[in-house]
Amino acid sequence: MVAAALHAPPPISVRPIGHPFCRHISAAPELLGSWRDRPRAEFAIIDEGPGLSGSSFHAVIVWLRRQGIGQERIHLFPSHRGGPGAQADAETVAALSQCQTHVAGFEDVFDGAVAPGLRDWIGHLLGKADVELHEISGGAWRDYLSVPTGAWPPALPAFERRKFIASAGGERWLIKFAGLGETGQRKLGTAKALHEAGFGALPAGLCHGFLVERWIHADRLDRAAPARDLLIEWLGRYLGWRAARLQADEAGASLNQLARMAVQNCEEALGENLAHALQTWFACQPSPGPTPRVEIDGRLHAWEFLVRPHGLLKTDAFDHCRSHDLIGCQGIEWDVAGARVEHDLSAAELSRLVGRIEQATLIDRALVDYFEPCYLAFQLGLWTIAGHSTDEEERMRSTRAVERYKAGLVRLLAC
């Protein structure tokens, strides 16, 4: 959109690599073509950051400077007005501050004056004129859980998409940004399929990239657990359905990439000895065979489920396989491993879960075992990042999650 507004050539995509807090660009100078030799050419860097360290922005700035591009010719288009977070070093802060920065906030663009406001769009979609919007991004959705803050689940505010609650005519709707164009349409299709199968809320439609679905007021699974047999039966039906209905063409991370991530996260959290033990563990595992890739759920934490009289409903179930992380689309065994971890399934319960899923598709038990430390390590890294929050209560929630995943890895390696 920036390129279109500037009448510029199509943008170039680069992917900074390295440690999340110390990214760098590995690209040939020829990537810039003749633009490098045009003294009046200016360069725009567009990114959803800056995040905790601002290292992605900094990596591109450094690379451009090495190509002879002066700082005054570099423009930044971040997604927010705040600077980089607590992990940014002085060099990064200085480099970002010396570039010209351009930000168009959501409220500035969709205030209802220059362009129609989100409230107008939602009202038109729902056929209601009295829509009220309340933002629930950044973990604020927990204000609507009807539980004290001490019982709130942890959240990942930096990773959450923009969310609102719309109230109209005595009803509530969840408004969540899903994506523009084909991306949003695909997610709407998944949301409709989930609802028709009895696993998700009713979607009303897509509104300029925002998915609108009915808000369900119900207890979360972490607060009102059903009988274990019912939980396993429901999980089995749900994961079996995903495996059969949500097959994917694109591939996520390879097994080797997942193993390297797990070893790296283990080393950072638990030290070299346990990381070496995990590396040895992976080397001793039988090589899993090829498995069909599916749109995994990726979020099987208990607080992600709603307890209803007729069973469970899954929230936020249509796009985690396409998050900005390593995992991507995997075999449904990834979610089986996630269910095993998040619901503390015993060996017998895991066998019953696999048996229920296998009414729809075969499960590679060796792959479930292989994925378990990968899942634990991924969650460990995710909640470690969340633990950098400036809010003390949020840090405590994240720390409890981190300790739980650490304990899971230690327990697995002790077997």
Side-chain angles (χ1 to χ4, degrees):
M1 286 190 286
V2 172
L6 294 173
H7 303 290
I12 299 168
S13 294
V14 293
R15 186 174 183 84
I17 57 176
H19 190 280
F21 299 156
C22 190
R23 301 286 196 196
H24 66 276
I25 296 290
S26 179
E30 289 75 19
L31 188 65
L32 294 180
S34 63
W35 292 100
R36 184 177 52 167
D37 302 320
R38 301 185 189 185
R40 298 185 62 184
E42 301 196 16
F43 297 81
I45 306 173
I46 300 97
D47 187 70
E48 64 182 359
L52 282 171
S53 68
S55 65
S56 291
F57 266 118
H58 186 236
V60 183
I61 294 171
V62 169
W63 185 80
L64 285 173
R65 295 300 307 277
R66 286 176 181 161
Q67 314 314 315
I69 308 303
Q71 198 101 13
E72 72 282 355
R73 298 166 62 194
I74 300 174
H75 298 255
L76 308 182
F77 288 80
S79 65
H80 57 84
R81 289 189 172 86
Q87 297 298 322
D89 57 27
E91 181 182 352
T92 297
V93 173
L96 268 64
S97 66
Q98 291 165 14
C99 295
Q100 299 181 64
T101 299
H102 313 270
V103 182
F106 182 85
E107 290 79 6
D108 298 332
V109 177
F110 302 109
D111 62 355
V114 178
L118 180 60
R119 181 183 291 105
D120 300 324
W121 290 341
I122 300 302
H124 179 74
L125 177 68
L126 298 177
K128 298 180 183 294
D130 58 342
V131 174
E132 293 184 7
L133 280 185
H134 301 280
E135 182 157 11
I136 56 170
S137 308
W141 50 270
R142 294 170 297 180
D143 287 328
Y144 292 81
L145 295 185
S146 301
V147 297
T149 57
W152 279 5
L156 293 158
F159 294 87
E160 288 189 10
R161 298 180 186 274
R162 205 71 182 261
K163 298 187 187 76
F164 300 85
I165 279 187
S167 303
E171 297 178 319
R172 281 180 172 172
W173 301 82
L174 173 64
I175 319 297
K176 177 186 174 183
F177 188 74
L180 299 169
E182 190 272 336
T183 297
Q185 291 295 335
R186 181 177 59 208
K187 292 178 182 179
L188 174 61
T190 300
K192 286 180 176 179
L194 283 162
H195 173 69
E196 290 167 1
F199 299 121
L202 171 67
L206 195 66
C207 186
H208 296 273
F210 284 87
L211 184 67
V212 181
E213 61 182 12
R214 189 176 294 279
W215 176 270
I216 306 294
H217 185 76
D219 287 331
R220 303 263 164 169
L221 183 57
D222 57 332
R223 304 292 296 172
R228 298 289 286 184
D229 286 348
L230 294 177
L231 171 63
I232 292 167
E233 166 67 19
W234 192 94
L235 284 172
R237 286 195 298 109
Y238 173 57
L239 296 182
W241 178 87
R242 283 197 86 98
R245 289 291 305 276
L246 299 182
Q247 296 182 4
D249 295 328
E250 69 258 45
S254 68
L255 295 182
N256 285 337
Q257 288 174 316
L258 291 171
R260 288 199 300 271
M261 172 275 296
V263 171
Q264 179 66 39
N265 286 4
C266 183
E267 180 175 346
E268 293 190 19
L270 297 168
E272 291 184 4
N273 289 340
L274 282 176
H276 178 72
L278 181 57
Q279 194 166 31
T280 302
W281 184 92
F282 279 120
C284 294
Q285 299 308 300
S287 298
T291 186
R293 301 278 179 148
V294 302
E295 297 182 12
I296 60 167
D297 181 294
R299 293 289 189 278
L300 291 177
H301 310 77
W303 62 79
E304 297 273 353
F305 294 84
L306 300 176
V307 180
R308 303 278 283 167
H310 59 277
L312 301 177
L313 282 182
K314 184 65 179 62
T315 66
D316 206 14
F318 52 81
D319 62 357
H320 287 301
C321 61
R322 295 184 178 91
S323 298
H324 295 291
D325 59 38
L326 174 70
I327 309 306
C329 295
Q330 296 289 339
I332 197 62
E333 288 84 357
W334 179 270
D335 279 337
V336 177
R340 183 183 197 177
V341 169
E342 299 302 342
H343 300 281
D344 295 318
L345 300 184
S346 66
E349 289 174 328
L350 178 64
S351 293
R352 290 204 299 275
L353 174 63
V354 169
R356 183 63 181 84
I357 298 171
E358 286 190 325
Q359 294 180 25
T361 186
L362 292 177
I363 295 296
D364 185 339
R365 282 295 300 267
L367 188 55
V368 174
D369 292 340
Y370 192 97
F371 276 156
E372 184 173 353
C374 300
Y375 179 89
L376 285 163
F378 175 72
Q379 293 292 325
L380 173 58
L382 201 62
W383 295 107
T384 297
I385 292 174
H388 292 291
S389 170
T390 57
D391 181 272
E392 183 177 355
E393 289 189 1
E394 207 66 80
R395 285 200 306 273
M396 291 175 61
R397 295 185 192 102
S398 299
T399 298
R400 286 194 291 269
V402 165
E403 293 304 318
R404 180 169 175 265
Y405 295 117
K406 279 184 181 178
L409 274 173
V410 171
R411 188 164 53 248
L412 183 146
L413 293 173
C415 294

